[in-house]
Amino acid sequence: ILNVEQSPQSLHVQEGDSTNFTCSFPSSNFYALHWYRWETAKSPEALFVMTLNGDEKKKGRISATLNTKEGYSYLYIKGSQPEDSATYLCAFVRNFNKFYFGSGTKLNVKP
Amino acid sequence: DTAVSQTPKYLVTQMGNDKSIKCEQNLGHDTMYWYKQDSKKFLKIMFSYNNKELIINETVPNRFSPKSPDKAHLNLHINSLELGDSAVYFCASSQGDPGRPQHFGDGTRLSIL
């Protein structure tokens, strides 16, 4: 059984706070790491796909880093807004065709 | 226009029945996927097709059979439905290999009575 772990499971922050969470995955046979944003009653929306060790991606106030050697990725949100409230999922892709999703970090941003 | 559309959105049926869920994408992607969201909310991949060819076939009961009539469609047929099949099923598509982002449908909630 391959585990992709996300921490924390849930997070409550105030509007304007910056926050970050972690996705941990096995360091062997890495192919890609995906991050998705999943709002309640909607479908997952792709944020980033990272493939190289040391990759850093940014989209507005959200950024992500990747360390394939130690098996983790961080997602950062700067100056959280209520509309950032969602579950953030990571997916580890191994050997090209094996997908493993984490259970997500549920973020709640209070106005 | 909806990019990845699944029908039906809700499906309530009796144990033992056979049912299908349809998925269509209008993004011009060549790869499509089926996922099952389990009771712990994990998304688990079931199948993937690239250009109508099966490339991922995870350990799922052979009561589940995907069918891809063309690149834009990937349907999921389930025979002899069981209580444990109750879940939300998501379809997704992407262009090229699994290193590209996926676009998801809104999910089909299947409830077995």
Side-chain angles (χ1 to χ4, degrees), chain B residues 21-92:
Chain B
I21 306 172
K22 295 185 177 181
C23 180
E24 176 181 4
Q25 54 94 5
N26 62 6
L27 297 165
H29 288 166
D30 59 6
T31 306
M32 295 184 73
Y33 309 81
W34 274 110
Y35 291 89
K36 180 180 180 181
Q37 185 183 23
D38 66 19
S39 56
K40 295 183 179 178
K41 305 296 184 187
F42 279 93
L43 279 175
K44 292 194 174 174
I45 192 163
M46 301 172 70
F47 302 104
S48 176
Y49 271 72
N50 176 264
N51 283 316
K52 302 195 299 175
E53 187 178 332
L54 183 65
I55 57 170
I56 297 176
N57 184 0
E58 291 298 308
T59 308
V60 297
N62 57 15
R63 298 180 295 105
F64 289 77
S65 53
K67 285 192 169 49
S68 181
D70 55 58
K71 281 196 319 183
H73 296 84
L74 180 61
N75 303 324
L76 184 65
H77 188 76
I78 316 170
N79 287 329
S80 303
L81 281 157
E82 300 177 357
L83 289 174
D85 297 333
S86 295
V88 182
Y89 292 85
F90 285 91
C91 176

Side-chain angles (χ1 to χ4, degrees), chain A:
Chain A
I1 297 175
L2 187 146
N3 284 329
V4 175
E5 295 184 0
Q6 291 190 244
S7 60
Q9 280 192 328
S10 64
L11 198 50
H12 298 262
V13 301
Q14 289 294 135
E15 182 175 355
D17 288 349
S18 293
T19 187
N20 66 85
F21 19 93
T22 307
C23 172
S24 301
F25 50 86
S27 55
S28 60
N29 305 114
F30 176 88
Y31 187 84
L33 193 284
H34 295 217
W35 279 103
Y36 292 88
R37 181 173 178 273
W38 195 355
E39 287 182 73
T40 304
K42 294 188 178 180
S43 52
E45 175 195 346
L47 288 172
F48 307 113
V49 176
M50 294 184 286
T51 55
L52 296 174
N53 185 42
D55 255 357
E56 290 188 26
K57 300 266 185 174
K58 189 174 179 183
K59 191 175 184 178
R61 293 179 291 98
I62 305 177
S63 59
T65 60
L66 178 68
N67 184 323
T68 60
K69 292 183 179 178
E70 295 182 40
Y72 64 84
S73 176
Y74 293 139
L75 190 80
Y76 301 91
I77 303 178
K78 186 177 177 183
S80 302
Q81 299 297 308
E83 58 265 30
D84 296 329
S85 296
T87 296
Y88 291 83
L89 285 179
C90 69
F92 165 64
V93 186
R94 185 183 220 188
N95 288 341
F96 176 80
N97 66 352
K98 297 290 186 186
F99 276 83
Y100 304 92
F101 274 82
S103 57
T105 292
K106 189 170 183 178
L107 175 67
N108 183 31
V109 182
K110 297 178 187 175

